Amino acid sequence: MRTVPKSYYKHFSNSEQIDFQKQSSLITLPHPRAHPFVPKDHPFFVQTDLTVHEMGPPKTVRTISQEAFDEVVKENMEDLGMDPTEALQDAIQTLSLQGVDLSGIVKCVPGESSLKDNPLIQSLERLKQLDLNSKDKFSDEDLNEMMGLFDKLIELCGGNEGSVNAAVATKNGGVELVCSICYKIRCGSKRVLDSCLKTMALLVHDVQSTETFRTGGGPKLLVNIIIDGNEDPEILNSGFAVVAASATGNEVVKESYMELKIDELILEILSRQRNDSIQSLYDAIRVLLTPDDGRVVASQVYGYARRFAKIGIARSLVHSLHAGLSSPSLISASIALKAVAVNDEICKSVAENGGIDALLRCIDDSGLQGNKTVARICCSLLSKLAGSDSNKSAIIEKGGMDKLIVVSARFSDDASVLQEVMSIITVLSLRSPENAARAMEAGAGDLAIQAMLKFPNAQQLQRSSCFMIRNLVARNPENRKLLLSNGVEKLIRQAKENHEICKDAATDALRDLGLHDYNK
């Protein structure tokens, strides 16, 4: 058996970090034509254990270096007599079946192309040369050339094959390279820096790449760039796009940004008169406050949201809603505000700053202008705010129930809008017989029946209908007869039979309707 060259393991060396530790070791997998029993010393594969300390069980990832993959293809040709195309396809199929992650591997047919022919690799290699040849700064000629190279990378990593090419770039040192260049030009050419940041936002696409970004000092570098360019909307937009991309799915990166007080930086930018062009700012807020790292036992984002609200970010986001549908930030700001509103106190503060008034006005206007996206997003945020008992009363007093029924009629052909409307009514009616009676008077019962009839295959809508019906009748016996006489029992039983996710909700609704055979 051959000895694996040390270069095969260059992507799997131990990282200088506390929270994450990569461990490299040989795994044993059979060759495509080998005996079915696994040999103990097969040379081609590497198994890495990504151990997340105090964050959950370790995740094992089987990977292979580019050199080792090429060697498998070569062996297929030389030892097994395959033609180049067959050798490549066999290697891909066999390794994939073995559970080896081939992302980032350039798959070339030997004799027809090579790694050096790949345009993405060519762009990276040229950027590496320019980076190595420079000391602390680049010449104007170099910057012009780099601009074209970054544009090429953006084209390759942002198109139909974007995720595949981003993985290739990451595996070939793209994240480290772009960080190095960003550091050198952060106070130089804004155009090149903007392209550099846009490239980075495309390259940090998974846990491995975001970890590379973090361990290379990416968060601190990025925050400094945002501080230096805080008067330039393009730099800010590109910079916060990197914040959003790098914090996605990585709890430790989120923590790094919070330690760098990115919340205060966000508030400073939000407090300015106009920030409509910085759409990625709102994406960054949403990502920083989303518990999306599956390895984490207990995320810290709830505490971050309270910190955001405490310094005034919730209040600033409410101000973004007051411009209504004329604001290009309305949808993004609503989604960000929903991420911040994590407790009763914050929800009440949103209402105190005019948030409910602004949302009800936006919901009205969305119906008049036929904007389904605004209707759905604003209803979703209103549902979150309605979790506060004091806000429930405010929504009812401001005519919210009638406005919801009106907007549901205007978007009766859109299941996603109807689902959000019913979610709000469900929350408003929870433990409130007065609100449940008001909902029935406004037409919530008819809404549920018509929606279930019109969208029998919309699982989430069917489930939302069952939830709403339950709350409409749980403390209002008078509503049971009205709904049953209109055939709601049959619709609920159909939902229970046809959709697994509806079973519990449908059973509860049938029980609260007073039906003794609700378990059938």
Side-chain angles (χ1 to χ4, degrees):
M1 282 291 179
R2 290 170 298 217
T3 302
V4 184
K6 291 183 179 179
S7 61
Y8 282 25
Y9 301 99
K10 63 182 179 181
H11 299 297
F12 311 109
S13 60
N14 291 330
S15 300
E16 295 180 3
Q17 51 190 298
I18 297 175
D19 300 278
F20 293 92
Q21 182 184 32
K22 300 176 186 177
Q23 298 176 336
S24 301
S25 61
L26 289 177
I27 63 170
T28 52
L29 293 173
H31 187 274
R33 298 290 184 268
H35 190 279
F37 289 108
V38 179
K40 296 296 184 183
D41 54 355
H42 195 279
F44 291 134
F45 307 107
V46 174
Q47 172 174 293
T48 61
D49 288 333
L50 183 60
T51 303
V52 186
H53 297 286
E54 300 180 355
M55 295 176 70
K59 179 181 179 181
T60 300
V61 182
R62 290 177 174 177
T63 59
I64 186 171
S65 69
Q66 182 70 51
E67 296 90 336
F69 176 83
D70 292 341
E71 187 66 24
V72 173
V73 177
K74 181 180 178 182
E75 185 177 286
N76 279 347
M77 295 170 59
E78 294 179 351
D79 296 354
L80 303 175
M82 296 182 183
D83 62 53
T85 301
E86 182 186 8
L88 175 64
Q89 293 303 318
D90 185 89
I92 294 172
Q93 181 180 11
T94 302
L95 294 173
S96 297
L97 289 173
Q98 300 286 3
V100 178
D101 182 8
L102 295 180
S103 60
I105 297 296
V106 178
K107 304 166 183 70
C108 306
V109 177
E112 296 183 12
S113 62
S114 67
L115 185 67
K116 294 181 179 180
D117 297 325
N118 185 289
L120 187 144
I121 298 298
Q122 291 175 346
S123 297
L124 286 176
E125 288 301 320
R126 181 54 185 155
L127 282 170
K128 288 177 183 177
Q129 291 176 5
L130 293 172
D131 186 42
L132 288 172
N133 292 339
S134 70
K135 293 183 179 179
D136 296 323
K137 57 185 298 185
F138 298 99
S139 66
D140 291 342
E141 182 179 349
D142 287 344
L143 289 172
N144 288 333
E145 184 179 359
M146 291 170 69
M147 187 76 181
L149 292 169
F150 281 128
D151 287 345
K152 185 64 176 178
L153 288 175
I154 292 170
E155 177 187 349
L156 291 170
C157 296
N160 294 332
E161 297 293 320
S163 59
V164 174
N165 288 330
V168 171
T170 300
K171 193 149 192 169
N172 285 274
V175 173
E176 300 94 326
L177 173 62
V178 176
C179 278
S180 174
I181 294 174
C182 274
Y183 181 80
K184 293 178 182 178
I185 64 174
R186 67 178 190 172
C187 297
S189 171
K190 289 185 178 180
R191 289 179 63 247
V192 180
L193 178 58
D194 183 47
S195 292
C196 189
L197 291 172
K198 288 177 178 175
T199 303
M200 178 67 79
L202 294 170
L203 296 187
V204 285
H205 64 286
D206 60 10
V207 172
Q208 295 292 343
S209 56
T210 57
E211 269 305 291
T212 300
F213 175 78
R214 182 185 70 85
T215 55
K220 185 175 182 179
L221 168 65
L222 189 57
V223 168
N224 287 334
I225 288 173
I226 292 173
I227 292 172
D228 293 339
N230 65 5
E231 298 293 336
D232 189 311
E234 290 185 357
I235 295 298
L236 290 176
N237 199 44
S238 299
F240 279 110
V242 179
V243 172
S246 59
T248 298
N250 195 319
E251 182 81 9
V252 184
V253 174
K254 296 181 203 290
E255 183 180 6
S256 297
Y257 283 125
M258 294 303 293
E259 289 174 350
L260 293 165
K261 299 183 178 180
I262 198 168
D263 50 332
E264 297 178 8
L265 188 55
I266 288 172
L267 178 62
E268 178 188 342
I269 296 168
L270 278 175
S271 300
R272 296 174 189 164
Q273 288 294 326
R274 294 192 58 80
N275 45 58
D276 289 341
S277 60
I278 314 173
Q279 292 295 305
S280 62
L281 172 68
Y282 302 101
D283 293 334
I285 295 173
R286 172 185 56 81
V287 171
L288 287 168
L289 303 183
T290 300
D292 55 0
D293 191 334
R295 307 159 300 165
V296 176
V297 176
S299 176
Q300 300 299 309
V301 299
Y302 178 79
Y304 300 159
R306 289 185 297 168
R307 200 167 119 183
F308 272 48
K310 184 176 181 179
I311 67 172
I313 289 178
R315 183 169 56 253
S316 293
L317 289 172
V318 172
H319 292 161
S320 301
L321 305 183
H322 286 301
L325 272 67
S326 63
S327 171
S329 301
L330 174 61
I331 292 174
S332 299
S334 297
I335 294 172
L337 184 54
K338 183 179 178 182
V340 176
V342 296
N343 62 23
D344 187 78
E345 180 183 356
I346 299 172
C347 288
K348 286 195 291 187
S349 73
V350 171
E352 291 165 359
N353 285 281
I356 289 177
D357 292 307
L359 282 173
L360 290 175
R361 187 166 55 251
C362 289
I363 289 171
D364 257 352
D365 292 344
S366 69
L368 294 172
Q369 297 183 27
N371 194 322
K372 296 179 180 180
T373 303
V374 169
R376 177 172 54 82
I377 297 300
C378 287
C379 283
S380 178
L381 174 55
L382 188 62
S383 180
K384 185 75 171 288
L385 299 179
S388 168
D389 287 340
S390 62
N391 285 353
K392 290 179 185 179
S393 300
I395 293 170
I396 298 296
E397 290 169 3
K398 296 174 187 297
M401 194 71 76
D402 293 324
K403 293 177 187 295
L404 291 170
I405 297 301
V406 169
V407 81
S408 69
R410 287 174 173 159
F411 294 114
S412 60
D413 61 339
D414 192 295
S416 64
V417 174
L418 298 181
Q419 179 184 320
E420 293 296 346
V421 169
M422 288 192 286
S423 294
I424 302 174
I425 297 175
T426 300
V427 176
L428 292 174
S429 303
L430 179 64
R431 298 187 301 275
S432 176
E434 296 84 4
N435 290 350
R438 184 69 191 87
M440 285 294 290
E441 291 173 8
D446 292 335
L447 167 62
I449 291 171
Q450 293 304 316
M452 295 182 83
L453 282 169
K454 191 168 187 176
F455 301 100
N457 297 321
Q459 299 184 50
Q460 292 294 341
L461 179 139
Q462 295 285 321
R463 187 166 178 251
S464 294
S465 299
C466 293
F467 282 140
M468 186 179 75
I469 290 167
R470 180 191 179 189
N471 283 5
L472 290 176
V473 302
R475 302 193 182 195
N476 297 70
E478 70 279 7
N479 291 341
R480 298 171 188 169
K481 185 176 180 180
L482 290 172
L483 289 169
L484 288 171
S485 64
N486 286 323
V488 76
E489 178 185 357
K490 180 180 178 181
L491 295 172
I492 295 174
R493 291 195 185 278
Q494 286 176 347
K496 182 177 181 178
E497 180 180 352
N498 296 334
H499 306 299
E500 182 67 29
I501 68 169
C502 293
K503 286 189 175 181
D504 290 342
T507 298
D508 292 341
L510 291 170
R511 182 196 62 217
D512 288 349
L513 277 165
L515 301 171
H516 297 296
D517 57 348
Y518 60 86
N519 268 325
K520 290 185 178 179

